Each structure stands twice: as structure tokens, then as C-alpha cells.
Amino acid sequence: MNDVAVMTEPVLRLSGLMRRYKSGEGELVVLNGVERGRWSSQSGLAKKLRIEGATVTRHLDRLEREGLVTRVRDVADRRQISVGLTAAGKA
């Protein structure tokens, strides 16, 4: 498989998810960030993507409502929220 095919496959998969769930470009960027990174927190994701925390929260709210991501609050530090893909988000 060539480099273009390796890069194109995830983009096509994510684009298909966005069409199916009628989400926008912002959600696509955040979903891709969640998929590609191992972020210790939602704020870490925002910093890495160079997006304001409130904007990431809004996109994650929508992705969570659509069943594509899950957020879990850290029991030791309730200010920390980890984000992961659900089975539907990985599909």
C-alpha cells in the first residue's frame, strides 16, 4: 500500500461518519484528533489541536450525543476529562 492510500483511508472513513451523522468540519477535526492521539485530558486535546477549550467542548458534546466519543471524568481529579472513541466512532 502506498503512502497516499495509507493517509486517504482514515480520511474517507471519518468523512463517511460525518456524512452519516450530519456533523461538520469542526467535529471531523476533533474526532480525528481523538482517534490519532492519546490525550490525558480534554484540555490536552484542545491544546494539541490549537482550538479553544470551549470549542472542543461544543464539538465533543455533539460527537458524544451521536455516540461517537465517550468522556470520563477522572476520579482523583474531577477537573480532568479523558476522551475516547466508542465502537461506532471506530467503525
Side-chain angles (χ1 to χ4, degrees), residues 11 13 25 42 68 71 90:
V11 171
R13 186 185 67 74
E25 190 175 298
Q42 183 173 316
L68 299 173
R71 290 186 274 189
K90 292 176 186 175

Side-chain angles (χ1 to χ4, degrees), residues 4-75:
V4 173
V6 169
M7 292 177 4
T8 303
E9 188 276 325
V11 171
L12 291 175
R13 186 185 67 74
L14 290 169
S15 295
L17 281 172
M18 294 299 95
R19 279 192 305 277
R20 186 176 334 143
Y21 292 100
K22 296 181 176 71
S23 295
E25 190 175 298
E27 283 88 8
L28 176 63
V29 169
V30 172
L31 188 64
N32 188 47
V34 172
E35 180 180 53
R36 295 198 169 270
R38 299 236 184 257
W39 316 111
S40 59
S41 67
Q42 183 173 316
S43 61
L45 173 63
K47 287 178 187 170
K48 183 64 178 178
L49 295 176
R50 297 181 182 169
I51 299 174
E52 292 292 324
T55 303
V56 169
T57 298
R58 188 177 69 246
H59 292 312
L60 287 173
D61 285 346
R62 171 127 190 197
L63 293 168
E64 191 172 37
R65 274 194 310 273
E66 297 294 341
L68 299 173
V69 300
T70 183
R71 290 186 274 189
V72 178
R73 196 170 290 278
D74 187 308
V75 254

Side-chain angles (χ1 to χ4, degrees), residues 68-88:
L68 299 173
V69 300
T70 183
R71 290 186 274 189
V72 178
R73 196 170 290 278
D74 187 308
V75 254
D77 184 353
R78 293 189 41 81
R79 296 171 296 173
Q80 297 295 314
I81 301 170
S82 61
V83 182
L85 294 178
T86 62

